[in-house]
């Protein structure tokens, strides 16, 4: 059954209700290992499914363009206060619709069209919105891109410094989508200070780890912190921009009226709930368990001869280069998905294959840790991954279906928030 229940939907639109039920069952039965995904709590689901979706609230608390904000104002202020307390920041804006619009607001606040802006190259682990060519951020600004070192798979800070000195970017982004290692915020801050650039820490992937004390914080180093709320932070799909008091007005003006109209109040409420949850001891334990699980899984994969970019992980994410296994990332990801292990194919640094058919897969432990799995299960997961990748090379589909059954059997002992099988 879906929790909260979807009785009315089932009556008025059985077709859609059935699709949702089937998606819930799919999320229940699979090892969801896409590192940007998670399971939100029932409380977050309830807040995001509430009547707050009915309300328009353009502007900010106390300065709205519509009447009837008696309750929306305190809801948004609660989310803001919780963000400030949790991350220890001077300012928070909880209105960005998602991570990409949040980053766009940063450009709007601190750069002019044509200005040099700097970020990690997408195929090295950066994000589209850090100035990649197909993104508006790479078209309307002049992107300067840094890489990771070929030998270590880690950010090349000497290159970052050299490029920054030469190109004088207005904004420097650190962080990304496929970085298995700790981000050195103090080193980036020193470079940004030297060239008078705004340093943006994009912590979309690791916000929950930072909140839970399992990754160093960019606070005190970055001028602006951009994050999604739906990855390790385990909230609804949304985003936040946090900053020092100095940049508060510029950030707020860029989000509204610069880029967006009315905030999604139901999302704001869900963010407030998630931030409340993220301040608890059990969330701290969760964040540390995510990292412990990823490290245990990395060790088990290395033992089985997998080639991990940078040789392991410090966080929630593992990037496997499958070249040595004789299979591309895409067929491997498809085989794993059929076997009940959901990952995504991904470029690896200096990939010799095309982005739509790259050499790697990216996987992580945030969602399976929410289900309650620990280090104890990681060797089994590595064994399944190994078995499935070998079976995919031989196109042995029977193995995939057998593993899918074994995964389902394991997960039946670990309830998921939001859905439970009929008793
Ligand atoms: C996920 C992510 C984003 C974008 O978030 P969306 O909500 O998908 O727009 C931005 N930056 C980084 C580093 C991300 O990982």
């Amino acid at each position: 059954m879906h929790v909260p229940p979807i009785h009315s939907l089932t009556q008025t639109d059985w077709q859609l209700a059935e699709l949702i039920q089937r998606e819930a069952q799919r999320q229940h039965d699979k090892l969801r290992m896409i590192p940007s995904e998670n399971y939100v709590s029932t409380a977050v689901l309830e807040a995001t499914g509430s009547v707050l979706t009915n309300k328009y609230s353009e502007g900010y608390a106390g300065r709205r363009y519509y009447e009837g904000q008696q309750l929306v104002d305190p809801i948004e202020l609660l989310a803001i206060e919780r963000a400030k307390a949790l991350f220890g920041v001077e300012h928070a804006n909880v209105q960005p619709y998602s991570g990409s619009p949040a980053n766009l607001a940063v450009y709007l606040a601190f750069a002019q069209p044509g200005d040099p802006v700097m970020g990690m190259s997408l195929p090295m682990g950066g994000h589209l919105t850090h100035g990649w060519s197909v993104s508006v951020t790479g078209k309307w600004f002049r992107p300067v891109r840094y890489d990771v070192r070929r030998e270590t798979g880690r950010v090349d800070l000497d290159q970052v410094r050299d490029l920054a000195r030469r190109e004088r970017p207005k904004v420097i982004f650190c962080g990304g989508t496929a970085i298995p290692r700790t981000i050195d915020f103090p080193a980036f801050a020193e470079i940004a200070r030297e060239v008078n650039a705004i340093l943006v820490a994009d912590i979309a992937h690791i916000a929950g780890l930072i909140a839970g004390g399992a990754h160093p914080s960019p606070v005190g180093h970055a001028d602006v912190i951009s994050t999604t709320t739906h990855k390790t932070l385990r909230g609804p799909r949304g985003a936040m921009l946090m900053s020092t008091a100095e940049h508060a007005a510029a950030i707020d003006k860029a989000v509204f009226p610069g880029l967006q109209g009315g905030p999604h109040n139901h999302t704001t409420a869900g963010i407030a709930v998630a931030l409340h949850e993220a301040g608890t001891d059990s969330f701290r334990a969760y964040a540390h368990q995510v990292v412990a699980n990823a490290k245990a899984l990395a060790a088990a994969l290395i033992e089985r001869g997998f080639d991990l970019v940078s040789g392991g992980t410090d966080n929630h994410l593992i990037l496997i280069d499958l070249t040595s296994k004789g299979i591309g990332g895409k067929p491997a990801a498809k085989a794993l998905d059929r076997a009940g292990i959901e990952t995504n194919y991904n470029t690896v640094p200096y990939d010799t294959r095309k982005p739509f058919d790259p050499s790697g897969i990216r996987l992580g432990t945030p969602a399976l840790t929410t289900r309650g799995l620990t280090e104890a299960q990681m060797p089994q997961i590595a064994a399944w991954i190994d078995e499935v990748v070998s079976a995919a090379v031989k196109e042995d589909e029977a193995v995939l279906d057998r593993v899918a059954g074994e995964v389902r059997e394991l997960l039946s002992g670990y309830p998921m928030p939001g859905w439970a099988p009929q008793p």
Side-chain angles (χ1 to χ4, degrees):
M1 194 187 76
H2 198 278
V3 189
I6 53 172
H7 299 317
S8 309
L9 188 59
T10 308
Q11 275 167 17
T12 59
D13 191 345
W14 62 267
Q15 209 177 357
L16 189 73
E18 189 190 301
L19 290 168
I20 293 174
Q21 293 286 6
R22 284 172 55 199
E23 169 62 12
Q25 170 113 43
R26 192 194 67 78
Q27 291 185 14
H28 179 270
D29 290 350
K30 275 188 185 169
L31 265 175
R32 298 178 56 234
M33 299 190 71
I34 294 172
S36 49
E37 294 184 350
N38 215 324
Y39 297 92
V40 298
S41 68
T42 309
V44 169
L45 285 175
E46 286 176 353
T48 52
S50 68
V51 295
L52 295 170
T53 200
N54 298 338
K55 186 70 195 122
Y56 243 104
S57 315
E58 284 186 0
Y60 292 102
R63 295 172 285 144
R64 304 279 189 187
Y65 290 82
Y66 294 78
E67 295 313 312
Q69 311 297 342
Q70 291 82 359
L71 292 314
V72 165
D73 275 6
I75 288 168
E76 187 171 323
L77 289 172
L78 195 57
I80 289 169
E81 289 312 314
R82 286 177 179 175
K84 284 162 69 174
L86 183 66
F87 289 95
V89 289
E90 292 170 356
H91 178 67
N93 185 312
V94 297
Q95 292 194 3
Y97 298 142
S98 211
S100 303
N103 285 349
L104 272 187
V106 172
Y107 289 96
L108 185 59
F110 301 108
Q112 295 293 321
D115 275 347
V117 295
M118 192 160 155
M120 191 183 211
S121 159
L122 179 71
M124 297 283 165
H127 189 261
L128 280 165
T129 56
H130 297 180
W132 194 240
S133 49
V134 297
S135 157
V136 65
T137 61
K139 292 180 194 289
W140 291 0
F141 301 96
R142 189 164 64 72
V144 179
R145 302 182 185 112
Y146 56 87
D147 305 314
V148 297
R149 286 185 197 275
R150 198 184 276 272
E151 322 81 65
T152 61
R154 294 176 189 241
V155 173
D156 186 347
L157 283 163
D158 295 330
Q159 181 203 24
V160 174
R161 191 178 304 104
D162 290 346
L163 282 172
R165 283 177 178 161
R166 197 173 73 214
E167 306 289 344
R168 311 294 293 192
K170 286 281 175 6
V171 177
I172 299 175
F173 276 87
C174 60
T177 63
I179 304 175
R181 295 298 181 175
T182 302
I183 298 162
D184 189 346
F185 299 121
F188 272 102
E190 196 186 311
I191 294 168
R193 220 171 12 248
E194 185 190 325
V195 302
N196 205 16
I198 294 284
L199 178 64
V200 186
D202 185 345
I203 61 166
H205 262 259
I206 53 176
L209 304 185
I210 291 169
H215 185 291
S217 168
V219 176
H221 305 294
D223 301 288
V224 177
I225 299 167
S226 174
T227 186
T228 58
T229 48
H230 49 270
K231 298 180 185 176
T232 51
L233 194 56
R234 220 160 60 176
R237 302 196 84 86
M240 304 192 293
L241 286 171
M242 298 178 279
S243 72
T244 53
E246 181 191 354
H247 299 299
I251 292 283
D252 283 356
K253 201 167 129 226
V255 173
F256 176 86
L259 197 67
Q260 298 189 168
H264 295 179
N265 297 315
H266 55 302
T267 300
T268 304
I271 290 172
V273 174
L275 291 168
H276 180 64
E277 292 174 352
T280 59
D281 288 343
S282 78
F283 191 88
R284 281 188 83 79
Y286 164 72
H288 285 90
Q289 190 63 50
V290 167
V291 176
N293 284 352
K295 284 180 185 288
L297 180 62
L301 287 166
I302 288 167
E303 209 165 288
R304 290 178 172 276
F306 282 95
D307 178 8
L308 307 197
V309 171
S310 84
T313 183
D314 298 328
N315 54 29
H316 65 301
L317 183 148
I318 293 169
L319 192 55
I320 306 180
D321 184 344
L322 289 166
T323 308
S324 65
K325 296 283 184 181
I327 187 168
K330 196 173 188 176
K334 291 209 173 299
L336 284 163
D337 187 56
R338 172 150 173 191
I341 301 172
E342 199 182 348
T343 65
N344 67 274
Y345 61 85
N346 212 97
T347 54
V348 297
Y350 304 98
D351 210 320
T352 51
R353 298 166 66 110
K354 299 267 178 294
F356 200 59
D357 185 19
S359 302
I361 53 171
R362 188 185 69 147
L363 60 163
T365 52
L368 60 79
T369 306
T370 297
R371 290 292 289 269
L373 303 195
T374 66
E375 294 99 316
Q377 285 85 34
M378 297 305 126
Q380 174 64 74
I381 294 174
W384 279 328
I385 292 173
D386 194 10
E387 205 178 353
V388 170
V389 166
S390 304
V393 173
K394 292 179 283 194
E395 292 180 28
D396 183 348
E397 296 190 346
V399 170
L400 310 186
D401 294 340
R402 195 200 78 235
V403 171
E406 291 171 3
V407 166
R408 221 170 19 246
E409 173 63 28
L410 171 75
L411 288 175
S412 66
Y414 297 88
M416 95 175 220
W419 191 82
Q422 295 294 357

